[in-house]
Amino acid sequence: MTAGQDDREPQRSANGTTAHGHAEADADAEAEAEGEAGAARAAMAARPAGVAGPATGSPTTGGPGPGQGSGSDPGSDPGPDSGDGTGTGTGGGGGDGNEASPEPGGGSRFTFPSAITVLAVVTVAVWIAAFFIPSGEYRRNDAGNPIEGTYHRIPSPEGFWTRLGDLLTSPVNGLYGVQDPSGGRVSPDASGALYGSAGVFFFVLAIGAFITVVFATGALDRGIGRLAHRLRTRGELLIIGVMVVFALLGSVEGWSEETLGFYGLIVPLMLALGFDRLVASAAILLSSGIGILAATVDPFSIGVASSAAGISMGDGIVLRAIMFVVLTGVTIAYVLRYARRVRADPGRSRSGFLPGDKDVDAARTPEPARLTGRQTTVLVVLVATFALMIFSVIPWASALTGDPEAVPYAWELGWSFPELAALFLIAAVLVAFVGRLGEQNFSATLTRGMGEFIAPALVVVLARGITVIMNNAKITDTVLNAVQGVVSGTDSALFTILVWVVNLPLAFLIPSTSGHATLTMPILAPLAQFAEVPRSLVVTAWATSNGIMNMCIPTSAVLMGGLALAKVGYNTYIRFIAPLLGIIALLVCCFLALGTVIS
């Protein structure tokens, strides 16, 4: 669901989140599945910076060992036992994640503010700035798009008390504010079109519920565990298999925090095959990161950004799919090149080896339990659900004919957030039925899943509330006109690259993928019209910019937590990936330029 800054905001706790009582004949197998689900769900979070340290249990080991202290426990020292039966430590000491840790003298480290705090500050800042930015507006065409060259100043439509009311009700308007078609003002009691993000809000809750129910069955984490074990004696195939699976999940579902539960399995396997800890951490972090960077239908990035830009989530999917294949291939090749070098000459390892790292035999690593028939069916339902989501949002007529105005085929679904929310809720019910979670356990898991995703949903609402303040003060078009003056006459290819560059610092400053998208798209998307490029290309430029930052910034809880679990230094990781980031940046800019030519 960001890289480290993507949006499922709440950090899941390892306590109280395991599945209860699957009605299976084999009680022992279900108990193990229960442990797996709890460990994996404990690793899930919202992808912002500034959340608590990650859970560290491996989904296939039955729990963390003494060396797997969480980032929020400053007293946990790296230990020799990772809980996987191999004697290799995969845990990190406290304080390496993105959280405050007690320091001598009673002080604490600086903790980067959460996404909600940042957006609250931005809300107040924008509200104050609206008193100094002159009001203005464009004339618009029948589609509601601004007409270039028609911007003009207008008197401020609001007094102080009205603006104060906009500030106080901005979260409400961000959820279900309605826009008056005559004057364009947004308020909860107006009559007109929905301006708030209620559809996206409920969609985030629905997909959170679905994912939580899937993890409660123990199917997904056990399936990945068995894949890794099956490839345990074929090192390069293991790297390729793990990276392909994680990249695919990142591209369609924003898979990021979930990876934290797999270090206890993958690190020992990589060490046993003659690789080092950097290979293991890179295979995990870079694969999910590149999947999110080249997201095809990730609902937390592409979905939210497309909604804010006023386009379908399937618009631009062909270019993003090509980017995904190429960039994933380049990333895998980069990791494999280093892995071969380390296995041939361990002295060339960047991360080095800890005592006991070379004492592991891959053939003796414990085999994860087999998938039950129900868990296999759950995985089929999971794949089918995401496949249907992808199929339902693609504008097939436009994609196949190349004409953006093509009449949709009769079999096209053209679904949006309401239908997708219903899809995931129905799929959650089906998974619960197949997995035999039981009515009470399913209800508790469903509501817990929604509760754990309420924070990223609120991030969307708060960000939308900021645009309401700008809209009601009539300063959105003023900002748009100012930016238009900068990009006016700019080549289309250069424009998309500028969008990519501009969003790099914003991805660091706004620690939330969906919040970043909701906040910037109302400005960036109309600019695409002036630059004569499709809005989908702006969404793609934004997504790749956000994704590449989340692969390297130290405010990412997933990145810092993962490195702590693998016991790899951040400086070592950055030196290793720096050339790859340069290659990815160059390829992304080429793809964006190619997109302008194709469009």
Side-chain angles (χ1 to χ4, degrees), residues 69-330:
S70 74
S72 60
D73 180 8
S76 56
D77 297 320
D81 182 12
S82 65
D84 56 18
T86 65
T88 58
T90 60
D96 286 331
N98 183 41
E99 75 284 335
S101 302
E103 294 187 353
S108 62
R109 291 183 184 179
F110 170 75
T111 302
F112 197 86
S114 69
I116 290 179
T117 301
V118 170
L119 288 175
V121 172
V122 172
T123 299
V124 175
V126 169
W127 181 76
I128 294 174
F131 286 96
F132 302 96
I133 300 175
S135 300
E137 61 184 8
Y138 284 95
R139 287 198 293 272
R140 281 170 160 72
N141 57 24
D142 294 338
N145 297 318
I147 301 174
E148 187 174 5
T150 63
Y151 173 81
H152 57 283
R153 298 279 183 87
I154 62 172
S156 177
E158 296 184 319
F160 175 81
W161 295 111
T162 302
R163 293 192 179 198
L164 181 61
D166 285 344
L167 174 65
L168 298 177
T169 60
S170 60
V172 179
N173 281 322
L175 179 61
Y176 62 87
V178 177
Q179 187 170 33
D180 186 342
S182 58
R185 176 174 173 76
V186 177
S187 65
D189 54 357
S191 297
L194 178 67
Y195 189 90
S197 300
V200 181
F201 179 86
F202 191 73
F203 170 70
V204 171
L205 299 186
I207 196 171
F210 171 71
I211 292 172
T212 305
V213 171
V214 169
F215 270 110
T217 67
L220 185 58
D221 38 0
R222 184 179 289 188
I224 294 177
R226 286 196 60 80
L227 172 65
H229 184 79
R230 184 168 294 182
L231 299 175
R232 66 192 181 280
T233 58
R234 290 170 283 182
E236 293 187 7
L237 279 179
L238 174 62
I239 294 173
I240 295 172
V242 169
M243 294 189 73
V244 167
V245 171
F246 282 12
L248 282 171
L249 290 170
S251 181
V252 303
E253 186 261 324
W255 177 270
S256 181
E257 282 74 19
E258 298 89 334
T259 62
L260 293 173
F262 294 93
Y263 283 85
L265 168 68
I266 293 175
V267 171
L269 285 175
M270 292 295 185
L271 291 173
L273 292 168
F275 304 121
D276 63 6
R277 292 172 178 270
L278 182 57
V279 172
S281 58
I284 297 172
L285 290 168
L286 295 182
S287 58
S288 62
I290 203 66
I292 293 171
L293 181 150
T296 49
V297 290
D298 177 8
F300 299 97
S301 60
I302 298 300
V304 174
S306 298
S307 174
I311 60 175
S312 166
M313 189 162 60
D315 290 347
I317 193 173
V318 175
L319 177 63
R320 294 196 295 269
I322 296 173
M323 288 178 59
F324 170 79
V325 172
V326 173
L327 295 180
T328 300
V330 169

Side-chain angles (χ1 to χ4, degrees), residues 431-495:
V431 166
F433 177 77
V434 172
R436 290 193 177 182
L437 294 185
E439 184 275 328
Q440 291 188 351
N441 187 23
F442 168 63
S443 298
T445 304
L446 188 77
T447 53
R448 184 176 66 247
M450 287 189 173
E452 289 169 347
F453 278 65
I454 193 69
L458 285 176
V459 164
V460 175
V461 169
L462 291 176
R464 190 60 169 169
I466 295 173
T467 67
V468 171
I469 292 175
M470 297 177 64
N471 174 83
N472 288 355
K474 297 292 184 182
I475 65 171
T476 301
D477 284 0
T478 301
V479 175
L480 180 60
N481 180 65
V483 179
Q484 179 199 348
V486 176
V487 302
S488 180
T490 302
D491 178 77
S492 297
L494 179 59
F495 168 77

